Structures are given as structure tokens and as C-alpha cells.
Amino acid sequence: MAPIDYPQQAKESLLAGIVALALTVPMMGLRTTSGQDGMVIDIRMGDAALTTLGVAVGHFVISLIRQALQQRSPKETKTEKSARLKSVAIWIGWASFAFALTLPVTLNLTENLGLHDKTRYYLDIGILVLTYVMLGWGLNIVVGLAGLLDLGYVAFYAVGAYSYALIAAHFGWSYWVCLPLAGLFAAFFGVILGFPVLRLRGDYLAIVTLGFGEIVRVVLLNWYQFTGGPDGLSRIPRPDFFGLPFKRSSSEGETFHQFFGLDYSSIHRIIFLYYLIFILALITNAFTLRIRKLPVGRAWEALREDEIACRSLGLNPTNTKLTAFAIGAMFGGFAGAFFATRQGFISPESFTFIESAVILAIVVLGGMGSQIGVVIAAAVLIGGTEMFRGLEEFRMLAFGMAMVAIMVWKPRGLLANREPTVKLHGDKEAKP
């Protein structure tokens, strides 16, 4: 066992501190303030110095811990490592399910005990995280399973949102009728995107999908008579609980709180929206886990590993890519319809390229092909960013540092799993 090289670790930590100092001085140490003589540069080196010190010390401590763990932990075989990761993923999955299922009840109970008064705020964060979990699972079909780099996934998100808003406003149909239609429209646009990019891969595919996302956004921005242009669409119908609206009173019949004998509270609608996106996300997960074991799912994995070998086995890459784009887009459309009914207002500014980048970051950081990894990455990137919103300009700095740390620590994602879903034999060798 080789001893820990403390001087080398200190040298690397010092270098990390110098890099952090060079980055933080322009962002934190120099601030412009308005004075009598105009704009004045105010030099504040305290924040930059503390951040630099934190980076250097943190790098040193993490390096020592990582090196100590590497020396103490015995080498695992590939089979043992795969089994351990699978066990960890199962435990994390059940813990996340239990936490998400009981979150509204727990928040309501703790608020009644006087521990906090932010139930609405935490539920809104939970809804936002679950929305991005659903989007991440939808994009995981295209990127994680089929291996097709898609930078325009927000286009399907937008198509689902605008489809629901326009259909519900013009025809007066309920949310439950418009939801599958929004998914079908998004799947249709997924097929439209799939045809021009059948022969592209890698960076070229990413550029074309990026252009597709921007085309959709520009069309929504300029087609004023149909989409409302930059003004967006408002007064989008809200979903009800099987015909029971979440209102104080209704001339058409009983409301939700009257039917169940409850006192009226606006939090009832928020809890309903929370469980609605929770169920939609579970359906997406169950569908993905099931379809990846079917022939089409195994064709996606074969295409991801080697397209030439996929062709030589008699698989049709055209149909394989189109199904991946269509099914992934469908779930993006479902999420878009939920986003529209939750917000009550949508505009092209909600569907910019940064949304596609965030969703792709969730899939990559979580581990391409990993369902549980998407949940963890969405909780960290979306929930963590919202929880630290009070830090103002430091919030995005912490966001970037977290992404860099994950990529250095886990280059393939938190719970990367590229093994085939279906194996001819288990972990044991076949008997003769």
C-alpha cells in the first residue's frame, strides 16, 4: 500500500485555489456601484478570498479522503461492481419513492406543529423537480438508451404545452382529453425531426436538433395569430378532480372541498398537481423500464453501442431511431401539457435552449441509461438550485462548481449503467 503523498496533494490544492482566485476576482471582487461621479468600481476581495480558501481546503480534504478510500477498498470485479450499483440504485429508488409519496403529508404535519410556514413553497419545488424528472426520463430514451444526442428536446416540451393550451381554449375539452392529444402531437413532431437526421450522428446530430428546437421557438414567437407570439397564451384551463373543481364555490355543482366535507384551502389544488405529476412520472418510469426489455428497447441499446453492427444483425436503424424520437417526444409532450395547466400561462420565453441544456445535463450527470440517476441529478440541479436561491449571485457559482465536481468525480454520471438490459445468462457462467 503506497503512502499518501501529502506534498503532491497540497500542490494540486494550491493550484486549484489559484484557478479559483482567477475566476472569483472578476465575478465577486469587482462590483460596480453608482456614485456622484457615475459608475464606480467597488473592490471587495473578502468574498473572493473566502471562496478561494474554501476551494483549496475542500480540494485537499476530498483528495485525501478519495485516496484513502481507494487504498482501503479491495478491487471489485465488473460483476461485483454491477451488482453493488444495482443494489444501491434499488435502495435509492425506494427511498425516493417513499419520500415523494409522503412529502405533502409531512409538510402539512410539520406546518401544523409550527416548524415552518412554507408548505406551498416546498410543494412548488417538488412539482418542479418531478417535472424535470419526467423530462429527464423522456430524454433518457433518446440519449441514454438509443445513444442519439438531442439538444432540441425543449421543442417537444413546447409542442405539448401549446397543443394543450390551444385545444383546451378553442374546443373546451377537459385536461384528461387534451393530455393524450398533446403527447400525440409531440410524438408526431418527434417523427418529423427523426426523418432529416437519420444519417447523422454525434456532433452533427446535436447541431441539427439544436436548430430544430430554435425553429420551433421562433415559430411560436412570430406566429402571433395562432400562438399569441411574445404575449403568450393565458387563461389556460386548470384540471379538476374527476369533475370537482378546486374553487370556493361553483354554480355548476359541488366543489372539491364541499364534496369531501373540507374547509376551502388553495393548497388543495397544489397537492393535487403534485400527485398528478408524481403519477405521470411513475407512468413514464414504468413504461421505460418495460419497453427497454422488449425488442424495440434492445434495438435501441444495440444502436447505441454500434450502428454498423446493428445493421449487420438485420435491425432497421431507421425505424429504431424514429421510435426513439417519437416515444421520447411523447413524454416531453405530456410534461408540457402539465406545465401549461400548472402555470396557467405560457410564452416562448419558457422554452429556450437553456431548458434543453438543463434536461440534457440531468441525463448526463445522472448517468445515461440510469433511471435513478436522473432522479438524483434532477433533485440536485433543480431542487438544490431553488433551495439556494437566497444566495443570489453565489447560487449559479455553486451550481457550476457542483457540475464540475460531479464530472471530475464521476465522469460517466452518478449511476452510469451501460450493460445490456437483457442477458443470455446471468452473472454465472452457463453450465455445459
Side-chain angles (χ1 to χ4, degrees):
M1 182 182 298
I4 298 177
D5 191 356
Y6 291 100
Q8 179 64 23
Q9 299 297 336
K11 182 179 178 181
E12 294 179 358
S13 300
L14 179 61
L15 180 60
I18 294 174
V19 174
L21 180 63
L23 293 175
T24 53
V25 166
M27 293 187 292
M28 300 181 184
L30 304 178
R31 299 185 182 181
T32 57
T33 57
S34 58
Q36 296 180 353
D37 299 331
M39 300 300 293
V40 179
I41 298 179
D42 186 11
I43 301 177
R44 302 178 182 179
M45 300 302 296
D47 295 338
L50 288 176
T51 303
T52 302
L53 181 61
V55 169
V57 174
H59 184 278
F60 184 74
V61 173
I62 293 174
S63 299
L64 294 180
I65 294 175
R66 183 171 59 180
Q67 190 170 352
L69 292 176
Q70 290 176 351
Q71 291 181 354
R72 292 183 181 180
S73 59
K75 293 184 178 180
E76 293 180 315
T77 63
K78 187 176 181 180
T79 302
E80 292 174 344
K81 184 178 180 180
S82 177
R84 179 174 59 84
L85 289 177
K86 184 177 181 180
S87 176
V88 170
I90 291 174
W91 279 105
I92 294 176
W94 282 112
S96 302
F97 173 80
F99 175 79
L101 183 65
T102 59
L103 180 62
V105 179
T106 304
L107 290 175
N108 192 25
L109 179 61
T110 53
E111 183 177 9
N112 293 334
L113 294 176
L115 300 179
H116 68 87
D117 57 351
K118 296 183 178 180
T119 298
R120 170 69 182 269
Y121 172 70
Y122 291 131
L123 282 178
D124 284 336
I125 293 179
I127 292 173
L128 186 63
V129 171
L130 287 175
T131 303
Y132 277 93
V133 167
M134 183 175 178
L135 289 169
W137 280 339
L139 183 59
N140 202 24
I141 294 176
V142 182
V143 178
L145 298 184
L148 304 172
L149 185 56
D150 188 354
L151 289 179
Y153 193 71
V154 71
F156 311 125
Y157 190 36
V159 168
Y162 273 87
S163 297
Y164 166 74
L166 292 171
I167 294 174
H170 287 83
F171 296 96
W173 294 348
S174 68
Y175 175 79
W176 309 107
V177 176
C178 298
L179 178 65
L181 293 178
L184 289 177
F185 276 110
F188 175 71
F189 273 81
V191 175
I192 292 178
L193 170 62
F195 271 110
V197 301
L198 289 177
R199 295 186 179 182
L200 300 177
R201 65 181 72 179
D203 299 338
Y204 303 100
L205 175 62
I207 293 172
V208 173
T209 54
L210 171 61
F212 179 79
E214 286 300 300
I215 288 172
V216 171
R217 187 185 66 84
V218 171
V219 169
L220 296 176
L221 190 63
N222 290 278
W223 199 354
Y224 191 88
Q225 294 78 7
F226 187 65
T227 65
D231 297 336
L233 299 176
S234 58
R235 297 181 180 179
I236 300 175
R238 305 284 183 141
D240 51 33
F241 185 79
F242 300 102
L244 300 175
F246 294 93
K247 299 179 180 179
R248 188 179 296 275
S249 60
S250 177
S251 58
E252 300 177 357
E254 287 186 311
T255 60
F256 177 82
H257 71 280
Q258 292 173 348
F259 182 82
F260 289 99
L262 303 172
D263 295 332
Y264 173 77
S265 176
S266 59
I267 201 67
H268 292 158
R269 184 180 65 86
I270 305 302
I271 295 176
F272 171 72
L273 290 174
Y274 175 86
Y275 280 114
L276 176 60
I277 188 60
F278 180 63
I279 293 173
L280 289 176
L282 289 180
I283 293 174
T284 305
N285 181 47
F287 182 89
T288 304
L289 292 178
R290 177 58 180 168
I291 200 171
R292 63 191 297 175
K293 295 181 180 180
L294 298 177
V296 63
R298 286 178 281 173
W300 290 340
E301 292 182 338
L303 179 69
R304 176 191 67 192
E305 298 301 329
D306 194 328
E307 183 174 346
I308 297 177
C310 179
R311 291 177 181 272
S312 65
L313 292 174
L315 299 176
N316 190 340
T318 300
N319 296 338
T320 305
K321 291 181 180 181
L322 290 179
T323 53
F325 276 116
I327 295 177
M330 179 181 67
F331 289 114
F334 291 153
F338 173 81
F339 174 79
T341 193
R342 170 182 174 257
Q343 295 293 111
F345 169 80
I346 55 175
S347 65
E349 284 74 18
S350 300
F351 308 103
T352 58
F353 166 71
I354 190 63
E355 293 296 321
S356 290
V358 170
I359 301 170
L360 182 62
I362 289 174
V363 175
V364 174
L365 295 180
M368 292 190 293
S370 173
Q371 298 291 97
I372 302 301
V374 169
V375 176
I376 299 174
V380 172
L381 296 184
I382 305 302
T385 304
E386 291 297 324
M387 293 297 290
F388 291 102
R389 183 173 290 275
L391 296 178
E392 297 180 353
E393 68 269 17
F394 299 100
R395 180 171 62 97
M396 295 310 296
L397 178 63
F399 174 79
M401 292 174 62
M403 293 185 65
V404 172
I406 292 175
M407 286 291 94
V408 172
W409 178 46
K410 288 285 188 178
R412 298 181 61 184
L414 294 174
L415 292 174
N417 183 17
R418 295 291 294 268
E419 294 187 358
T421 303
V422 179
K423 299 180 181 179
L424 294 178
H425 306 291
D427 296 335
K428 299 180 180 179
E429 295 181 359
K431 296 182 179 179

